[in-house]
Amino acid sequence: MFKPTVGPIVGHTTTDHARIFLRGDRDNKLVFAGIRHRRKGETNWSKGQFVQLEPHRDMSDVIVLKGLQANTYYEYQAGWFSPLSPTHTVATIQELPLQWPRTLYCLRTQDAENHAPRAYIVGSCRYLRITAGVPSLPGLGDRIFAGINRIAALADPPISAVLMTGDQVYLDDLNKLAPDRTYKSILFKYRTVFSQPHIARLMSGVPTYMMLDDHEIEDNWPANRTVNDDVLYANAMSAYELYQASHGPAHELRHDGTINKALNRYWYTFAHGDIEWFVTDSRTQRNLSPDNRRILDETQEQALLHWLVHSRARVKFVVTSVMFYPDSKRNDGDAWQAFAEQRMRLLETLRHGRIKNVIFVSGDVHGSMTSRLRHSQDPEFEVNTIVSSPLCNSRLLPFAKASDFIFDAPLAGNDSGEYHYELTSNVVSQDNFARLHVTAQNVQVSFHDRNGSLLQTVEIGLR
């Protein structure tokens, strides 16, 4: 057996199962991929689980490890091979005397305790330019993941998940000068980005959850969409579904433990004890018409509102690839600032429902910060936001700074009062990532530079 050409990537992981993505290769033969696992410290391996790899999925697939125990470390091995006989099936290869790749990977299932402290890594916007099929200085984009790995190795509690909140790839290199538009070039970019050594090490051991933003398609999508972009969109979303959505919770798990590969939407939810996440799709279902302008389609908005009102989670994180607030002095029509009516509906639902401990998490702006939103006539109302971006900036793009945002005017208002926000951290204007530590009392947000060194820490109190 050979090592995966991309992966393994540990995706959605619960107390009793883990989804693992891996890619083999194509040599015009029958190709299978497999994984076997064991509890750390044990000597006997499980029976291997196998899947046949298909060209229409770029020789990749997801294998589900089932029947796991909560809060337990598991070692696993992963690989792919072509059997000598073309008549083999997933069932018959179980009996072959396979030589597994020697690399050992390790993952941890989620803690079943409802109130356990938990930690997360959040980041977005990882730039890697590829020109004429050659990556330009790929180590620059991968360096920060070495820093994340150092933080993860020492984390107490262990990192429950990595949230990648958009622009994991930049298909529009140099924007109009050299964008990736063909399916072949888009797939090559994904393989290159996700197979760099430090990010590969991170994703092989820590559950990673992903959501797309515009550069997974095209800058400021769909505002810049043209009649010639239909093929681009189809190619970009097919690759996104394979490499980012396939191992996430948007795919339902069938009763037999297999994944339903039909994908009806890109937004999803997941929970760790009394902490829940709603990861929105704030990119592909936008309506830019003036009479019904929305960043989330109606179905998703209603699902989000229902979740906010009815979820019994103590802490609710809402991930939106573009900023919920603060507003930018340069309103380019891309963030929630340009969808004021829909944002107001969310805020009024939170305020009238007395919903506490809601934190919006986003990226996009190439600057990191925390800020707090309050209401002029309702002292009980409070909503916080955490912005974490970029993991690796392009040398051609500026970093955000505090002076780029509007802090001297209300965010919104109506007859019942005004929503005002304040910056609760410094604005980080360099490559960085955020570590969230959720306890019974607060969410501690620490921003780290690309080496993993601490830049600043902010505490968001829970009520």
Side-chain angles (χ1 to χ4, degrees), residues 8-259:
I9 299 173
V10 179
H12 182 43
T13 300
T14 68
T15 56
D16 62 4
H17 91 272
R19 309 179 187 193
I20 302 179
F21 168 97
L22 72 170
R23 179 183 183 272
D25 210 342
R26 184 180 182 184
D27 54 6
N28 297 318
K29 297 179 181 178
L30 191 64
V31 178
F32 295 92
I35 293 176
R36 66 177 183 176
H37 67 282
R38 65 188 179 191
R39 285 197 299 180
K40 190 173 183 179
E42 294 184 346
T43 56
N44 294 328
W45 290 102
S46 70
K47 189 176 181 180
Q49 293 179 229
F50 297 93
V51 64
Q52 183 176 339
L53 301 181
E54 302 287 354
H56 73 273
R57 296 184 60 85
D58 195 35
M59 306 306 288
S60 71
D61 216 317
V62 175
I63 294 176
V64 181
L65 305 186
K66 301 164 288 192
L68 307 181
Q69 297 180 5
N71 196 24
T72 301
Y73 285 94
Y74 286 89
E75 295 175 329
Y76 69 99
Q77 292 174 308
W80 65 277
F81 67 102
S82 294
L84 295 177
S85 171
T87 63
H88 273 296
T89 66
V90 169
T92 62
I93 60 173
Q94 297 276 356
E95 308 306 321
L96 294 180
L98 298 172
Q99 184 175 352
W100 290 79
R102 300 181 66 179
T103 303
L104 286 180
Y105 306 98
C106 185
L107 64 86
R108 183 184 70 92
T109 53
Q110 299 298 335
D111 194 330
E113 184 181 343
N114 200 38
H115 305 293
R118 300 179 196 270
Y120 302 90
I121 299 292
V122 176
S124 65
C125 306
R126 182 270 185 98
Y127 186 79
L128 172 63
R129 191 173 80 207
I130 295 179
T131 304
V134 179
S136 175
L137 302 175
L140 292 180
D142 195 42
R143 177 177 172 178
I144 196 166
F145 294 100
I148 296 175
N149 281 323
R150 285 192 286 271
I151 295 295
L154 301 174
D156 183 20
I159 303 299
S160 291
V162 173
L163 277 295
M164 295 186 180
T165 64
D167 296 341
Q168 280 70 253
V169 298
Y170 279 68
L171 300 187
D172 52 346
D173 278 352
L174 303 179
N175 290 328
K176 296 182 180 180
L177 295 182
D180 292 305
R181 300 183 71 88
T182 68
Y183 195 44
K184 180 180 179 180
S185 64
I186 291 171
L187 291 176
F188 178 75
K189 173 152 283 188
Y190 268 101
R191 295 177 204 143
T192 304
V193 167
F194 285 169
S195 61
Q196 298 301 311
H198 298 305
I199 190 175
R201 178 185 168 198
L202 175 69
M203 295 192 300
S204 71
V206 182
T208 304
Y209 295 77
M210 303 178 182
M211 176 45 66
L212 84 167
D213 199 22
D214 53 344
H215 294 289
E216 269 87 0
I217 310 167
E218 182 180 73
D219 185 40
N220 207 357
W221 183 270
N224 293 336
R225 184 172 190 167
T226 70
V227 294
N228 300 318
D229 283 340
D230 289 349
V231 173
L232 163 66
Y233 183 73
N235 290 339
M237 296 313 297
S238 293
Y240 171 77
E241 290 180 10
L242 285 181
Y243 279 89
Q244 298 201 57
S246 64
H247 44 80
H251 286 278
E252 296 179 353
L253 192 67
R254 296 191 180 103
H255 293 301
D256 63 358
T258 61
I259 290 176

Side-chain angles (χ1 to χ4, degrees), residues 360-434:
F360 285 85
V361 178
S362 62
D364 182 57
V365 296
H366 294 201
S368 295
M369 72 197 84
T370 63
S371 59
R372 178 169 51 232
L373 185 68
R374 286 178 167 158
H375 192 270
S376 62
Q377 303 302 315
D378 188 348
E380 294 299 313
F381 176 84
E382 180 181 311
V383 169
N384 287 273
T385 187
I386 301 168
V387 182
S388 180
S389 168
L391 293 165
C392 178
N393 201 7
S394 165
R395 294 179 177 179
L396 302 177
L397 297 175
F399 288 99
K401 50 190 183 298
S403 59
D404 294 331
F405 303 100
I406 303 170
F407 289 104
D408 56 357
L411 178 77
N414 55 26
D415 293 341
S416 63
E418 295 176 333
Y419 291 95
H420 295 264
Y421 56 79
E422 60 179 325
L423 194 61
T424 53
S425 74
N426 297 323
V427 175
V428 179
S429 301
Q430 63 185 83
D431 291 352
N432 73 98
F433 63 92

Side-chain angles (χ1 to χ4, degrees), residues 216-462:
E216 269 87 0
I217 310 167
E218 182 180 73
D219 185 40
N220 207 357
W221 183 270
N224 293 336
R225 184 172 190 167
T226 70
V227 294
N228 300 318
D229 283 340
D230 289 349
V231 173
L232 163 66
Y233 183 73
N235 290 339
M237 296 313 297
S238 293
Y240 171 77
E241 290 180 10
L242 285 181
Y243 279 89
Q244 298 201 57
S246 64
H247 44 80
H251 286 278
E252 296 179 353
L253 192 67
R254 296 191 180 103
H255 293 301
D256 63 358
T258 61
I259 290 176
N260 180 359
K261 292 182 179 178
L263 191 60
N264 300 318
R265 52 180 167 79
Y266 298 123
W267 54 269
Y268 57 86
T269 62
F270 65 96
H272 294 151
D274 59 0
I275 300 167
E276 293 188 10
W277 294 78
F278 192 114
V279 181
T280 68
D281 169 16
S282 56
R283 184 56 63 181
T284 73
Q285 299 298 314
R286 295 183 177 206
N287 187 336
L288 303 182
S289 64
D291 58 338
N292 186 29
R293 191 172 177 84
R294 54 173 61 246
I295 193 170
L296 309 180
D297 62 285
E298 185 174 354
T299 299
Q300 185 180 179
E301 179 184 345
Q302 292 305 312
L304 175 57
L305 292 175
H306 184 273
W307 177 80
L308 287 168
V309 171
H310 295 285
S311 168
R312 304 188 60 152
R314 181 175 58 91
V315 183
K316 299 182 178 78
F317 289 104
V318 182
V319 177
T320 168
S321 59
V322 294
M323 290 178 62
F324 193 68
Y325 73 88
D327 287 347
S328 173
K329 291 179 180 178
R330 187 180 68 87
N331 182 6
D332 60 2
D334 195 47
W336 281 84
Q337 177 179 7
F339 301 86
E341 291 184 7
Q342 190 171 45
R343 180 170 64 176
M344 189 65 162
R345 289 196 295 270
L346 289 181
L347 292 176
E348 291 288 88
T349 297
L350 293 173
R351 189 171 68 86
H352 289 299
R354 298 284 189 245
I355 303 172
K356 302 184 187 311
N357 300 332
V358 175
I359 300 174
F360 285 85
V361 178
S362 62
D364 182 57
V365 296
H366 294 201
S368 295
M369 72 197 84
T370 63
S371 59
R372 178 169 51 232
L373 185 68
R374 286 178 167 158
H375 192 270
S376 62
Q377 303 302 315
D378 188 348
E380 294 299 313
F381 176 84
E382 180 181 311
V383 169
N384 287 273
T385 187
I386 301 168
V387 182
S388 180
S389 168
L391 293 165
C392 178
N393 201 7
S394 165
R395 294 179 177 179
L396 302 177
L397 297 175
F399 288 99
K401 50 190 183 298
S403 59
D404 294 331
F405 303 100
I406 303 170
F407 289 104
D408 56 357
L411 178 77
N414 55 26
D415 293 341
S416 63
E418 295 176 333
Y419 291 95
H420 295 264
Y421 56 79
E422 60 179 325
L423 194 61
T424 53
S425 74
N426 297 323
V427 175
V428 179
S429 301
Q430 63 185 83
D431 291 352
N432 73 98
F433 63 92
R435 176 181 179 268
L436 315 185
H437 182 196
V438 186
T439 68
Q441 294 78 32
N442 58 50
V443 177
Q444 185 183 79
V445 184
S446 56
F447 294 104
H448 300 259
D449 68 14
R450 63 185 182 181
N451 295 318
S453 300
L454 180 65
L455 296 171
Q456 65 173 321
T457 300
V458 179
E459 290 189 357
I460 300 173
L462 298 175

